[in-house]
Amino acid sequence: MEKFFALPQIKQDTIINAALSSFGTNGYKKTSVSDIAAAAGISKAMVFHYFGTKKALYFYLVNLCGSIIMNEVNEKFDSTVTDFFDRIKQSSEIEISAMKKYPSISLFLKSIYFEKDEEVKDDLRALFEKGEDFRNKIAFQGMDYSKFKEDIDLKLFVKMLLWLTDGYMNQLSDKAEIDYEIMFKEFDKCLNMLKNNFYKEEYVNPSYKSRS
Amino acid sequence: MEKFFALPQIKQDTIINAALSSFGTNGYKKTSVSDIAAAAGISKAMVFHYFGTKKALYFYLVNLCGSIIMNEVNEKFDSTVTDFFDRIKQSSEIEISAMKKYPSISLFLKSIYFEKDEEVKDDLRALFEKGEDFRNKIAFQGMDYSKFKEDIDLKLFVKMLLWLTDGYMNQLSDKAEIDYEIMFKEFDKCLNMLKNNFYKEEYVNPSYKSRS
DNA sequence: CTCAAATCAACCGATTCGGTTTATAAAAAT
DNA sequence: ATTTTTATAAACCGAATCGGTTGATTTGAG
């Protein structure tokens, strides 16, 4: 794989994006090396020249995405933030900045989570276990729920936010060309709207009440 | 296709579900007739025996789903309902009852909307145009937005609900075995929670304020 | 028992698969 | 200037799979 790393970064990224998107949409088995080569604008032979086998490419991507997310979390995640919505914003920011580099990273990560092909399933499971407690760090624990209005069903609210973020991230994945800043601002406004209507009045941003 | 219709309904449904799920997850080109046959527990030859060609099967499914949704809408849609949340509940009910019959129908409909294969793309586009004004009937028009609190950004709220329902429907599609009633009740509770916090106080269900 | 319909395993030629070899042309090294 | 190396893609490999067919077997009704 030294051959691949010797490429200029921009070409590496082109190939990585092509592969992430192909594997992400069609899974391991149904993605052919020709698909990836075509999407990257190179010949199939080059893919083998760079990565040796389809499987090697696949797991290179898996590990790459793993470390990208890990770095992003280490850099942006702040466990001292206990506000529910701020924590969600953090997670969203983490995902957005990962997608700025590799737009299909979410699609790909979701796909490996559901991957069922025998040739890669077991190795994937092994990697998942390794990252399990890592994920728990950014989950909804140690969080301050006391700011919510008394009558809110918190379990239901969390479930709703899971649906919401999933739908939001889905829309990010679908679009070919996205202005991430605009999308993120919209999501941010959405979280603020929820906060302003589900938090006790003493916790909502005072400037909100005088909004248009 | 008389051969297919001569089958007992339960076997027809098994095959339809297998095909909807296969096409829905892998698209037209990447879905092989063997995939569908295996998922349906029959031999590949039978699929050809019943449908003649892969393409014929595909468009049988497209039209079937179209008429299922159309029937469901004609039966359940009530344009006199102007309450925003009640209208959403209606749409959700329509989709749920379609999924009760064919669990992968949402997945499939979504997939044909993004289908890009040359062999089927054009015929699909032609069908989409036909159903365009039909879809507008259940869209968010002629609806009563006056019950919302004055300070709510309605455009943003609608966008949020789009994300929410997308995420919700996604979860429905993922699961293998689902209790639709439970899922729907949860979504319904979620909508009520939103209503109670985004509608002016005089419009929220009085019983809500004394909830646990 | 008969006969036709239902069903599937085996098969067809064509295509595509993962992967290799070869041809070519530019770049680097001599 | 000439050799050598490197980057690249086209052409190719055997194996697998594709959409689709066929022949043989099973099944079920008369």
Side-chain angles (χ1 to χ4, degrees):
Chain A
M1 268 179 42
E2 321 82 40
K3 303 279 178 55
F4 177 68
F5 294 126
L7 257 39
Q9 190 65 41
I10 190 163
K11 194 160 188 183
Q12 285 187 38
D13 286 348
T14 306
I15 296 169
I16 289 171
N17 279 322
L20 286 179
S21 153
S22 299
F23 279 128
T25 42
N26 295 118
Y28 182 78
K29 185 168 188 177
K30 296 269 180 187
T31 298
S32 72
V33 179
S34 314
D35 288 345
I36 297 168
I42 61 178
S43 84
K44 182 179 64 154
M46 294 317 297
V47 178
F48 285 102
H49 181 60
Y50 296 141
F51 298 99
T53 68
K54 175 182 171 180
K55 193 171 176 179
L57 163 58
Y58 189 73
F59 280 101
Y60 164 69
L61 294 174
V62 172
N63 290 318
L64 176 70
C65 292
S67 50
I68 284 177
I69 294 292
M70 224 177 70
N71 286 339
E72 215 66 56
V73 167
N74 282 336
E75 192 182 310
K76 293 205 168 64
F77 180 72
D78 176 3
S79 64
T80 66
V81 171
T82 59
D83 183 89
F84 188 82
F85 292 97
D86 290 341
R87 189 72 76 90
I88 302 246
K89 273 176 211 175
Q90 262 188 35
S91 310
S92 172
E93 262 166 24
I94 287 168
E95 192 151 355
I96 291 270
S97 54
M99 286 179 78
K100 268 184 190 162
K101 204 160 193 215
Y102 301 118
S104 298
I105 194 171
S106 295
L107 192 69
F108 181 73
L109 287 171
K110 207 169 172 178
S111 83
I112 65 174
Y113 188 76
F114 291 107
E115 182 61 57
K116 281 176 177 62
D117 191 277
E118 291 297 335
E119 198 176 343
V120 296
K121 200 179 66 182
D122 294 345
D123 301 85
L124 284 178
R125 293 285 162 273
L127 286 174
F128 287 162
E129 280 170 31
K130 221 184 65 183
E132 195 150 0
D133 42 327
F134 183 79
R135 260 197 314 285
N136 287 341
K137 261 175 63 182
I138 53 168
F140 312 103
Q141 51 181 228
M143 208 122 26
D144 178 14
Y145 292 106
S146 69
K147 300 185 206 165
F148 280 96
K149 290 180 189 167
E150 300 286 344
D151 56 9
I152 301 296
D153 180 342
L154 281 172
K155 260 195 178 146
L156 181 63
F157 187 82
V158 169
K159 191 165 285 191
M160 184 184 86
L161 264 185
L162 248 41
W163 289 335
L164 186 64
T165 52
D166 185 61
Y168 165 62
M169 286 301 170
N170 251 10
Q171 179 160 347
L172 285 186
S173 309
D174 280 349
K175 307 267 177 178
E177 198 77 13
I178 330 163
D179 188 329
Y180 291 107
E181 298 307 329
I182 290 183
M183 282 292 290
F184 180 70
K185 251 177 209 152
E186 230 159 31
F187 186 64
D188 189 63
K189 268 166 59 188
C190 182
L191 287 181
N192 281 334
M193 184 170 70
L194 287 171
K195 187 191 219 170
N196 289 324
N197 286 280
F198 284 88
Y199 267 11
K200 292 172 188 157
E201 272 201 50
E202 62 252 48
Y203 292 112
V204 328
N205 186 339
S207 75
Y208 174 76
K209 287 286 148 191
S210 56
R211 235 168 34 117
S212 75
Chain B
M1 270 180 37
E2 322 81 42
K3 304 278 178 55
F4 177 68
F5 295 125
L7 257 40
Q9 190 64 40
I10 191 165
K11 195 161 188 183
Q12 286 187 37
D13 286 348
T14 305
I15 296 169
I16 289 172
N17 279 322
L20 286 179
S21 153
S22 298
F23 279 129
T25 41
N26 295 117
Y28 181 77
K29 186 169 188 176
K30 297 266 180 189
T31 297
S32 72
V33 179
S34 314
D35 288 345
I36 297 168
I42 60 177
S43 83
K44 182 176 64 150
M46 294 318 295
V47 178
F48 286 101
H49 181 61
Y50 296 142
F51 298 99
T53 69
K54 176 182 172 181
K55 194 171 176 179
L57 163 58
Y58 189 73
F59 280 100
Y60 164 68
L61 293 174
V62 172
N63 290 319
L64 176 69
C65 292
S67 50
I68 284 177
I69 294 293
M70 224 177 70
N71 285 341
E72 215 65 56
V73 167
N74 281 337
E75 191 182 311
K76 293 205 169 62
F77 180 73
D78 177 2
S79 65
T80 66
V81 171
T82 59
D83 183 271
F84 189 82
F85 292 97
D86 290 340
R87 189 73 76 90
I88 301 248
K89 272 177 214 175
Q90 262 188 35
S91 309
S92 173
E93 262 165 24
I94 286 169
E95 193 152 353
I96 291 271
S97 55
M99 287 179 78
K100 269 184 193 164
K101 207 163 188 211
Y102 302 118
S104 297
I105 194 171
S106 295
L107 192 69
F108 181 73
L109 287 171
K110 207 169 173 178
S111 84
I112 65 174
Y113 188 77
F114 291 107
E115 182 60 57
K116 280 177 177 62
D117 191 276
E118 292 297 336
E119 198 176 343
V120 296
K121 199 178 66 181
D122 294 345
D123 302 83
L124 283 178
R125 292 289 161 271
L127 286 174
F128 288 162
E129 281 169 31
K130 220 185 63 182
E132 196 151 359
D133 42 327
F134 184 79
R135 260 196 315 284
N136 287 340
K137 261 174 62 183
I138 54 167
F140 311 104
Q141 52 182 228
M143 209 119 30
D144 178 14
Y145 292 106
S146 69
K147 301 185 206 165
F148 281 97
K149 290 180 189 166
E150 299 286 343
D151 56 9
I152 299 296
D153 180 341
L154 281 174
K155 260 195 179 145
L156 180 64
F157 186 83
V158 169
K159 192 165 287 191
M160 184 184 85
L161 264 185
L162 247 42
W163 288 335
L164 185 66
T165 51
D166 185 62
Y168 164 63
M169 285 301 169
N170 252 10
Q171 179 161 346
L172 285 186
S173 309
D174 280 349
K175 308 268 177 179
E177 198 78 14
I178 331 162
D179 187 329
Y180 290 106
E181 298 307 329
I182 289 182
M183 282 292 290
F184 180 70
K185 252 177 209 152
E186 228 157 33
F187 186 65
D188 189 63
K189 267 165 61 186
C190 182
L191 288 180
N192 280 334
M193 183 170 70
L194 287 170
K195 187 190 220 169
N196 289 324
N197 286 281
F198 284 88
Y199 266 12
K200 292 171 189 158
E201 270 200 52
E202 63 251 48
Y203 292 112
V204 329
N205 186 339
S207 74
Y208 174 75
K209 287 287 151 192
S210 56
R211 234 169 34 118
S212 76

